[in-house]
Amino acid sequence: AQKVTQAQTEISVVEKEDVTLDCVYETRDTTYYLFWYKQPPSGELVFLIRRNSFDEQNEISGRYSWNFQKSTSSFNFTITASQVVDSAVYFCALSEANYGGSQGNLIFGKGTKLSVKP
Amino acid sequence: KAGVTQTPRYLIKTRGQQVTLSCSPISGHRSVSWYQQTPGQGLQFLFEYFSETQRNKGNFPGRFSGRQFSNSRSEMNVSTLELGDSALYLCASSFLQASNEQFFGPGTRLTVL
């Protein structure tokens, strides 16, 4: 069965610290997609990144970076030089490949609440 | 380009009533998915519609149903409301199927008294 585990329930850091959010996934599919979403207090989920299972290249976008390792089934997210505006709940999600036209529902982890204090 | 819109944003109902939530996807997007978010269960998939057809369904009772119209707008309905149905209901749209990025709306906060 598919499963996403975000072991860190809450993390608190001081502004400018680096922080890594862990995500471990389980799937029997060889083709799958991994996502990270940010949910600020307003409630709307904001898409951050999508990765397919064949692309293990790490990605950097500004202060954000992602480390995808199939060998450990992990897709970790690092925020460098954190800012107060980064405070939110971050969700990692997994989706199956497209079979029969379905987009594949997202399986979400429980989320990690990040608090960045000034 | 306008984002995903959901109406109403807040709703209060009593047990036994029914409720209909609406979602308008991003223009050009044909796939709409619905998710329920609660503190206890987290984010759970309800169903997905593509070109007016239900493509995928999560593990929810038959009281939860949905539909999609020809303009890709979608509605979900919950009948015989229970206290446990209190949640944030999120709608997401994507351009095609195949696990494209799903863009979420602000959600409808449903409270069942």
Side-chain angles (χ1 to χ4, degrees):
Chain A
Q2 294 185 319
K3 185 180 178 183
V4 175
T5 301
Q6 293 180 257
Q8 305 149 308
T9 305
E10 290 192 44
I11 299 176
S12 183
V13 299
V14 177
E15 209 169 19
K16 296 184 184 175
E17 280 186 39
D18 298 348
V19 58
T20 295
L21 310 182
D22 297 333
C23 173
V24 174
Y25 62 92
E26 295 175 32
T27 180
R28 287 174 292 190
D29 290 337
T30 55
T31 303
Y32 51 89
Y33 300 85
L34 294 165
F35 301 78
W36 275 95
Y37 282 87
K38 172 182 180 180
Q39 187 175 43
S42 61
E44 187 167 337
L45 281 167
V46 178
F47 168 82
L48 295 177
I49 190 171
R50 179 186 72 144
R51 253 311 182 244
N52 73 54
S53 51
F54 298 109
D55 183 3
E56 280 194 80
Q57 264 193 322
N58 290 332
E59 176 141 347
I60 297 175
S61 175
R63 296 184 297 106
Y64 296 170
S65 62
W66 291 269
N67 184 323
F68 177 27
Q69 292 195 342
K70 286 179 76 170
S71 60
T72 55
S73 297
S74 65
F75 186 43
N76 296 337
F77 172 33
T78 297
I79 301 175
T80 303
S82 60
Q83 300 176 0
V84 172
V85 293
D86 295 327
S87 297
V89 181
Y90 290 86
F91 291 94
C92 179
L94 167 70
S95 177
E96 295 175 319
N98 173 29
Y99 294 122
S102 170
Q103 73 173 340
N105 54 291
L106 291 172
I107 309 294
F108 285 90
K110 293 292 189 184
T112 296
K113 182 178 181 180
L114 174 65
S115 297
V116 182
K117 305 200 183 304
Chain B
K1 205 179 220 184
V4 178
T5 58
Q6 292 187 245
T7 56
R9 292 293 311 277
Y10 302 92
L11 207 47
I12 299 175
K13 292 284 188 179
T14 55
R15 278 181 299 175
Q17 287 187 308
Q18 77 164 18
V19 66
T20 298
L21 312 181
S22 181
C23 170
S24 292
I26 291 172
S27 178
H29 285 193
R30 294 166 63 191
S31 176
V32 173
S33 295
W34 288 88
Y35 294 83
Q36 180 197 64
Q37 186 176 23
T38 60
Q41 299 299 315
L43 278 153
Q44 293 185 288
F45 172 76
L46 280 157
F47 25 65
E48 177 218 345
Y49 286 88
F50 182 82
S51 293
E52 301 180 67
T53 301
Q54 187 180 88
R55 290 288 195 181
N56 206 350
K57 189 176 190 305
N59 188 24
F60 277 81
R63 300 184 298 106
F64 292 81
S65 63
R67 59 178 175 168
Q68 187 180 34
F69 301 95
S70 58
N71 61 358
S72 294
R73 190 177 70 86
S74 177
E75 288 181 348
M76 67 162 281
N77 184 76
V78 188
S79 62
T80 319
L81 284 166
E82 300 177 359
L83 294 178
D85 298 333
S86 294
L88 179 66
Y89 289 89
L90 292 161
C91 166
S93 77
S94 66
F95 179 54
L96 294 171
Q97 61 264 41
S99 301
N100 282 299
E101 296 94 293
Q102 295 186 39
F103 296 90
F104 283 79
T108 294
R109 173 75 63 184
L110 172 64
T111 301
V112 182
L113 302 175

